[in-house]
């Protein structure tokens, strides 16, 4: 098909165009530009990561050297320890991983990757950011109300969360519910925008199966979130009513059932794992072919596997409840579906490895983080198969084995994938290159320290070490494992300090980094077809797409990459003949 025919076959995208903002407030604060909103999400997510990292520091110190003064802080009291455990999980999942992977990179990249001038609903986009900003303020304010912040665990299990008598937390838990409700509203708005933009505003010639995999991952994550969050919103309203209006949905003393909350939470909670995981996978899948100089292996298999994994994620939630008294006849089907969901992920991982096989590999910082994410996720995936078995899970449940597995699942995709995305798309976002030496220093400290923290936790978990306990030394059978805790804590401190090179690099490069070319990585997708950083409304003219996103090392081509918007040699010959 010629370029003229492609352009004619695809309807011209439409968009409620808005003029370039002139005032400071409209340009940088209340902006409707998806690129500015993406950067706002990134700033918010990175700030909350500092808070979440500090809570991890307090938790790890208390576990390694219980009831001693924490350097730079004070003593961690038992009630405050419960607060730290609760807020660490809440912040890292809902206020770090989601804002960075979906809010920042979804907003910044989807319009650019589909050749659109902006999101379909720019004002709704602005509202989504300021809603999560408000949610973050509410969550942070909960630290300062009488009784402190929420302390019922990041899963908010009833009855701990339903009655203040169990934790001593009153308004802190109410504000936690309100903050999550606002955060969910924000990402519902964002999901509507992502879907509408990616489906309705694609450039001429950009069919669904020519979309970059990052866009597919974002769309799947948006659908999963929109379909799963409804029951939990209903549950949050019921929980708030239990706490404030005297209802008894989750309190046995009032005729309620605490297990109802677990069902509602995990019906959302397990798809939520993939909401966070898939965008990180999307970033990795964009980076691997660029630095392997090879087409992605199994594009359609990856797309179908992503959809299959998303569908299966709705029928695995009860594997979180194997010890709740669930009937064994019901546990077996959930065990089967949980193990079955590893199949589509195995296909995705195999495709990543096959993409690398025989490639002309290059190892700049984005590639190192992508490879690190791939390697460490394998450990998280394999240990997840163990926990999918009801027989094994009954022994491992609520031990540090689960903590280690959970971190080996989400840290590679959310944080290592997020770091890979920052190093890869920073030149497009800010027009400057990050320093490679600092980037590689950041990578090696992070990858080594992360493994030193969490591999030992598999061992203490298999030794029966329960999680969420304040002082392990109160149990004689846990005392021999204390040196492992101390080692993991030292590694955790190194991991936190290892983020200093990224912070220095990020801000130093904004002012003094080498200016980035429009396409510094010689990649094919449409975001590299415009300037770095992109202008208002992204493209001087709407690009036309001629091919798939991953055409590298084509025989007969003068270069080893062929951008989607550039006519190829064969196409040029056809056009000249016409």
């Amino acid at each position: 098909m010629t370029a003229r025919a492609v352009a004619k076959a695809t309807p011209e995208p439409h968009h409620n165009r808005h003029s370039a903002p002139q005032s400071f407030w409209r340009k940088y604060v209340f902006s409707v530009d998806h690129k500015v909103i993406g950067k706002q999400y990134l700033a918010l997510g990175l700030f909350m990561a500092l808070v979440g990292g500090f809570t991890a520091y307090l938790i790890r110190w208390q576990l390694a050297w219980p009831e001693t003064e924490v350097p730079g802080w004070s003593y961690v009291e038992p009630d405050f320890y419960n607060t730290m455990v609760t807020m660490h999980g809440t912040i890292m999942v809902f206020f770090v991983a989601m804002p960075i992977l979906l809010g920042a990179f979804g907003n910044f990249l989807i319009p650019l990757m589909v050749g659109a001038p902006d999101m379909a609903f720019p004002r709704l986009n602005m509202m989504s950011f300021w809603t999560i900003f408000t949610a973050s303020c509410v969550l942070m304010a909960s630290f300062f109300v009488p009784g402190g912040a929420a302390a019922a665990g990041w899963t908010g299990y009833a009855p701990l969360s339903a009655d203040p008598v169990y934790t001593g937390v009153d308004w802190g838990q109410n504000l936690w519910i309100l903050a999550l409700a606002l955060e969910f509203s924000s990402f519902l708005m964002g999901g509507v925008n992502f879907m509408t933009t990616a489906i309705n505003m694609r450039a001429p010639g950009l069919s669904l199966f020519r979309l970059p995999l990052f866009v597919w991952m974002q769309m799947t994550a948006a659908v999963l979130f929109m379909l799963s969050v409804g029951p939990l919103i209903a549950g949050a309203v019921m929980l708030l009513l239990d706490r404030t209006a005297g209802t008894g949905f989750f309190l046995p003393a009032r005729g309620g059932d605490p297990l109802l909350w677990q069902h509602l939470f995990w019906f959302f909670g397990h798809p939520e794992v993939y909401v966070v995981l898939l965008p990180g996978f999307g970033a990795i899948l964009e980076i691997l072919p660029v630095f392997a100089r090879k087409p992605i292996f199994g594009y359609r298999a990856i797309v179908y596997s992503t959809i299959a994994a998303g569908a299966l994620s709705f029928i695995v939630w009860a594997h979180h409840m194997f010890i709740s008294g669930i009937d064994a006849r019901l546990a077996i089907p959930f065990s089967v579906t949980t193990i079955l969901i590893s199949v589509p992920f195995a296909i995705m991982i195999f495709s990543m490895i096959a993409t690398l096989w025989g490639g002309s590999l290059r190892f700049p910082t984005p590639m190192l983080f992508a490879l690190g994410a791939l390697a460490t996720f394998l450990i998280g995936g394999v240990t997840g198969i163990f926990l999918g078995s009801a027989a094994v899970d009954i022994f491992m449940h609520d031990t540090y084995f689960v903590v280690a597995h959970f971190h080996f699942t989400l840290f590679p995709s959310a944080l290592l994938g997020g770091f890979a995305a920052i190093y890869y798309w920073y030149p497009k976002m800010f027009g400057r290159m990050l320093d490679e030496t600092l980037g590689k220093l950041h990578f090696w400290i992070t990858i080594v320290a992360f493994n030193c923290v969490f591999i030992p936790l598999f061992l203490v978990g298999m030794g029966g070490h329960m999680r969420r306990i304040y002082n392990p030394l109160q149990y004689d059978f846990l005392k021999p494992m204390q040196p492992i805790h101390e080692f993991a804590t030292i590694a955790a401190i190194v991991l936190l300090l290892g983020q200093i090179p990224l912070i220095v690099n990020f801000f130093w490069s904004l002012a003094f980094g080498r200016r980035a070319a429009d396409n510094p990585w010689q990649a094919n997708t449409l975001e590299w077809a415009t300037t770095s950083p992109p202008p208002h409304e992204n493209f001087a003219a709407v690009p036309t797409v001629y091919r798939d996103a991953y055409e590298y090392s084509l025989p007969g081509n003068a270069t080893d990459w062929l951008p989607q918007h550039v006519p190829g040699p064969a196409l040029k010959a056809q056009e000249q003949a016409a």
Side-chain angles (χ1 to χ4, degrees), residues 78-80 82-83 86 147 149-153 156-170 173 239 242-243 247 250-258:
D79 291 343
F80 188 67
N82 288 336
T83 295
T86 301
Y157 273 8
L160 289 178
S161 59
D163 192 332
V165 72
Y166 295 110
T167 60
V169 177
D170 192 0
Q173 193 74 42
L239 183 62
D242 273 8
R243 295 179 58 82
T247 59
F250 306 117
L251 288 169
R254 301 177 195 164
D257 186 353

Side-chain angles (χ1 to χ4, degrees), residues 264-470:
L264 294 173
F265 182 87
W266 286 115
F267 183 79
F268 159 81
H270 205 84
E272 168 67 8
V273 172
Y274 303 122
V275 170
V276 173
L277 189 149
L278 290 177
F281 266 35
I284 296 166
L285 286 163
E286 293 302 317
I287 292 169
L288 292 182
V290 171
F291 297 111
R293 312 312 289 173
K294 274 186 63 186
I296 196 80
F297 184 91
Y299 174 95
R300 293 201 178 209
I302 294 172
V303 172
Y304 293 136
S305 298
T306 303
I307 296 171
L312 284 170
S313 72
F314 287 102
I315 51 174
V316 300
W317 82 90
H319 76 243
H320 295 276
M321 303 165 62
F322 283 149
I323 64 162
S324 67
I326 188 172
D327 191 308
R329 290 166 296 183
L330 195 57
I332 292 172
F334 278 104
S335 185
V336 171
T337 55
T338 301
I339 294 172
L340 191 64
I341 204 170
S342 63
V343 174
F345 281 102
I347 293 172
M348 287 185 245
I349 295 296
F350 174 77
S351 297
M352 292 181 192
I353 295 171
T355 300
L356 298 174
W357 184 263
S360 302
L361 300 183
R362 304 171 183 175
F363 299 99
T365 305
M367 182 64 159
L368 290 178
F369 272 106
L371 294 175
L374 174 59
T376 48
F377 179 80
L378 283 171
I379 299 174
V382 169
T383 51
I385 295 174
F386 298 152
L387 294 175
S389 165
V392 178
D393 184 76
I394 287 170
F395 177 75
M396 295 293 187
H397 192 88
D398 262 345
T399 68
Y400 269 93
F401 189 92
V402 177
V403 174
H405 156 71
F406 187 74
H407 283 81
F408 263 102
T409 303
L410 282 189
F411 191 94
S413 55
L415 290 182
L416 296 182
F419 290 147
I422 289 173
Y423 282 99
Y424 184 64
W425 281 295
Y426 184 96
K428 184 57 62 180
M429 297 180 89
F430 300 104
R432 300 274 183 172
M433 301 296 292
L434 285 165
D435 183 79
E436 273 292 294
T437 303
L438 285 173
K440 288 176 178 172
L441 177 66
H442 175 220
F443 168 75
W444 285 112
I445 294 176
T446 299
I447 198 74
V448 172
F450 168 74
N451 282 283
C452 288
V453 176
F454 290 102
I455 286 179
L457 295 189
F458 282 121
L459 300 177
V460 297
M462 287 189 287
H465 197 311
M466 312 79 74
R467 63 175 177 171
R468 294 173 178 164
I469 57 171
Y470 173 66

Side-chain angles (χ1 to χ4, degrees), residues 153-216:
W154 79 276
T155 54
Y157 273 8
L160 289 178
S161 59
D163 192 332
V165 72
Y166 295 110
T167 60
V169 177
D170 192 0
W171 267 101
Q173 193 74 42
N174 295 343
L175 292 177
W176 180 85
I177 297 171
L178 177 61
L180 287 189
L182 289 170
E183 197 263 4
F184 294 159
S185 303
S186 167
F187 280 98
L188 281 173
M189 290 184 252
V192 169
N193 238 337
F194 287 6
M195 293 297 297
T196 310
T197 304
I199 291 175
N200 289 344
M201 297 178 65
R202 284 173 284 127
L206 187 58
S207 63
L208 285 175
F209 281 110
R210 284 180 172 176
L211 280 174
L213 287 166
F214 181 83
V215 179
W216 270 109

Side-chain angles (χ1 to χ4, degrees), residues 426 432-436 438 501-514:
Y426 184 96
R432 300 274 183 172
M433 301 296 292
L434 285 165
D435 183 79
E436 273 292 294
L438 285 173
L502 171 65
I503 297 170
V504 173
N505 200 359
F506 194 101
F507 290 105
W508 183 88
S509 297
L510 277 179
F512 305 108
R514 180 165 54 88

Side-chain angles (χ1 to χ4, degrees), residues 54 57-58 69-74:
F54 188 71
Y57 166 62
L58 297 181
E69 187 172 3
V70 182
W73 186 252
S74 180

